[in-house]
């Protein structure tokens, strides 16, 4: 492939890998710059709703992913104090029939591994590890990206491309270079752990996504690794706000926050010996403005809270749309990127608003929580699912 078709991508996370694959399928030569010297498993579970699975299927990854995923039969929403099931939202075959693609849950490391295997199999994709994109310069032939190698201040390399895509996450260096606002702390922390499925009761390791709603906190857990492990995420209101994904959390601190919850929930939370935690941030969708052939995707473009499980899905959607617009206007990358941004802005902003609102609803307490529980039970699972048709029914175009 001619070098003139090169596109530089900063970040080899889910969004960066997905957009590299989509661009390679469209005839471009992606160059991925990733600051870490070795890609390792990051995070724990991730939910792949039908809007994301449809894109992954279009990229030819469904068969590779299928042995590693779990397709939950439902989302079971519970009252945290009593453990009582409030409503069961159908997924499984119902969701696949409704949206044309399944709802999957998977370990983030398994998803990353499949994406990396596909990237390695593409001769037109170059992956540069240990290279952090820090700045860029526009010129008549596109953009030159300056990347620092390792920890040496003056050891850098330049990459030339038709365009630059910043996929470097919520703390994006390039988002800051472009003058975008920093994400704001949401006064919540998420704690994560993974335990072997055989240590969990049969009810709680079933192929179901469980969601427990409590005062100022909620709990999500579901099986991953084809059912061999159970992913647990506990989210609490908190003032701790250090950046990063892997701070060690004190188990005793977490258990104290859930001391009044149902015994089954407390028993599950007591299983992991080690917890990792991260602070949650959200921020505005990146502004659409004339900045040449440079754009952002995923959390770099629209950092959002995880309460509708769409952070990864939005990055995957971004990848499909961006590649399609560039394929249409390869002779004018800047115009293609403005078209991508215009197409994505309203949708990603709507998802951000939905995540913010849902997070408030999840953490209600007292009479407001009782009203919420009654409303969920009265609405029923099928009607609740239908409220997300706008989200799960999306397809790339």
């Amino acid at each position: 492939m001619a070098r003139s078709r090169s596109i530089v991508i900063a970040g080899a996370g889910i969004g960066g890998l997905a957009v590299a694959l989509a661009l390679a399928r469209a005839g471009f030569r992606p160059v991925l710059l990733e600051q870490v010297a070795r890609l390792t498993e990051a995070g724990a579970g991730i939910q792949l709703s039908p809007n994301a699975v449809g894109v992954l299927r279009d990229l030819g990854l469904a068969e590779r992913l299928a042995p590693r995923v779990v397709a939950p039969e439902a989302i079971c929403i519970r009252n945290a104090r009593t453990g009582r099931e409030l409503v069961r939202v159908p997924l499984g075959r119902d969701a696949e029939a409704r949206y044309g693609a399944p709802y999957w849950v998977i370990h983030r490391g398994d998803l990353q591994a499949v994406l990396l295997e596909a990237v390695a199999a593409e001769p037109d994709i170059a992956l540069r590890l240990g290279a952090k994109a820090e700045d860029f310069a526009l010129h008549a032939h596109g953009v030159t990206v300056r990347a620092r190698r390792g920890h040496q201040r003056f050891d850098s390399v330049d990459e030339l491309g038709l365009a630059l895509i910043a996929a470097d996450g919520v703390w994006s260096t390039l988002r800051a270079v472009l003058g975008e606002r920093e994400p704001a702390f949401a006064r919540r922390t998420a704690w994560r752990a993974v335990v072997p499925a055989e240590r969990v009761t049969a009810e709680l390791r079933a192929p179901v996504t469980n969601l427990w709603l409590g005062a100022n906190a909620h709990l999500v857990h579901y099986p991953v690794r084809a059912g061999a492990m159970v992913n647990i995420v506990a989210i609490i209101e908190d003032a701790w706000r250090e950046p990063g994904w892997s701070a060690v959390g004190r188990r005793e601190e977490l258990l104290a926050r859930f001391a009044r919850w149902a015994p089954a929930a407390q028993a599950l939370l007591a299983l992991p010996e080690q917890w990792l935690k991260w602070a949650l941030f959200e921020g505005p969708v990146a502004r659409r403005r004339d900045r040449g052939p440079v754009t952002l995707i995923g959390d770099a473009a629209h950092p959002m809270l995880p309460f509708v499980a769409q952070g990864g899905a939005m990055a995957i959607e971004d990848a499909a749309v961006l590649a399609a617009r560039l394929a249409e206007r390869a002779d004018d990358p800047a115009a293609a990127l403005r078209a991508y941004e215009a197409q994505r802005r309203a949708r990603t902003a709507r998802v951000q608003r939905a995540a913010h609102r849902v997070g408030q609803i999840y953490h209600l307490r007292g009479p407001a929580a009782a009203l919420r529980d009654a409303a969920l039970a009265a609405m029923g699972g099928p009607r609740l699912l239908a409220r997300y048709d706008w989200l799960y029914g999306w397809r790339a175009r």
Side-chain angles (χ1 to χ4, degrees):
M1 181 66 66
R3 180 168 293 275
S4 62
R5 302 282 283 182
S6 293
I7 295 178
V8 182
I9 303 166
I14 289 172
L17 294 170
V19 76
L21 288 169
L23 287 168
R25 305 287 201 270
F28 294 95
R29 181 183 177 275
V31 179
L32 279 158
L33 304 178
E34 170 53 51
Q35 64 178 318
V36 302
R38 180 173 176 268
L39 289 172
T40 58
E41 291 185 0
I46 181 171
Q47 300 188 57
L48 295 174
S49 48
N51 47 308
V53 175
V55 174
L56 295 171
R57 185 174 57 193
D58 292 344
L59 290 173
L61 303 178
E63 289 188 5
R64 297 184 190 181
L65 288 167
R68 306 173 187 237
V69 306
V70 173
E73 298 169 357
I75 300 173
C76 176
I77 305 178
R78 300 174 182 269
N79 178 282
R81 290 290 297 273
T82 66
R84 176 172 62 91
E85 181 178 312
L86 302 171
V87 65
R88 185 168 288 246
V89 181
L91 293 178
R93 293 180 180 178
D94 290 337
E96 186 165 4
R98 189 179 189 96
Y99 303 118
Y103 194 114
W104 284 344
V105 292
I106 188 171
H107 193 283
R108 188 177 292 265
D110 289 339
L111 174 59
Q112 178 181 280
V114 168
L115 289 168
L116 279 170
E117 289 168 7
V119 162
E122 282 285 350
D124 284 328
I125 300 178
L127 174 59
R128 314 259 198 260
L129 297 177
K132 180 181 180 180
E134 293 191 324
D135 204 351
F136 64 89
L138 302 179
H139 48 77
H141 302 291
V143 57
T144 297
V145 182
R146 174 62 55 90
R148 177 165 53 86
R149 295 189 295 196
H151 299 289
Q152 299 301 316
R153 182 178 178 184
F154 300 108
D155 186 7
S156 62
V157 63
D158 289 346
E159 289 286 350
L160 175 66
L162 285 174
L164 167 62
I165 301 167
D168 49 346
V170 65
W171 295 114
S172 168
T173 297
L174 295 177
R175 180 182 173 97
V177 170
L178 290 166
E180 299 291 340
R181 283 166 48 192
E182 283 192 358
F185 178 47
R187 301 195 64 82
R188 292 181 176 90
T189 55
W191 298 57
R192 71 176 187 267
V194 180
V195 296
E198 63 265 20
R199 298 185 61 195
V200 179
T201 64
E203 180 184 14
L204 298 187
R205 68 171 180 262
V208 170
T209 295
N210 286 275
L211 169 61
W212 304 67
L213 305 182
N216 302 327
H218 74 277
L219 170 66
V220 181
H221 57 93
Y222 48 81
V224 293
R225 298 250 145 110
M229 307 290 287
V230 173
N231 179 68
I232 308 171
V233 179
I235 297 181
I236 60 175
E237 298 191 4
D238 199 354
W240 181 86
R241 55 175 299 168
E242 295 179 18
W245 278 81
S246 299
V248 175
R250 291 181 57 250
R251 182 169 174 261
E252 297 76 15
E253 177 187 347
L254 181 67
L255 294 179
R257 296 294 297 267
F258 292 84
R260 295 186 176 183
W261 281 41
Q266 292 190 57
L268 179 68
L269 291 167
L271 289 176
E273 295 295 329
Q274 183 181 38
W275 287 89
L276 297 177
K277 66 177 181 177
W278 74 99
L280 300 183
F281 290 79
E282 59 183 335
V285 175
R287 291 167 289 180
R288 180 173 177 259
R289 58 184 181 180
D290 186 12
R291 52 189 167 210
V294 179
T295 196
L296 305 99
I297 69 169
D299 284 342
H302 37 71
M304 63 183 61
L305 298 174
F307 304 133
V308 288
Q310 288 295 305
M314 288 301 105
I316 291 168
E317 286 188 10
D318 287 347
V321 174
L322 192 155
R325 300 295 80 80
L326 274 169
E328 292 169 352
R329 305 193 65 173
D331 59 332
D332 192 349
L337 297 187
R338 300 297 82 77
Y340 148 77
E341 291 164 357
Q343 184 174 345
R344 294 298 293 161
R345 183 174 182 82
R347 178 167 172 82
T348 53
R350 184 179 181 184
V351 176
Q352 284 183 319
R353 292 192 300 271
H356 186 90
R357 183 174 63 253
V358 167
Q360 293 175 321
I361 293 169
Y362 282 1
H363 288 201
L364 291 173
R365 58 190 303 166
L371 288 172
R372 174 204 61 205
D373 292 355
L376 289 172
M379 186 173 296
R383 286 178 60 195
L384 271 175
L385 181 62
R387 291 177 65 128
Y388 288 92
D389 285 353
W390 66 273
L391 183 55
Y392 300 158
W394 180 94
R395 289 294 174 271
R397 62 188 187 280

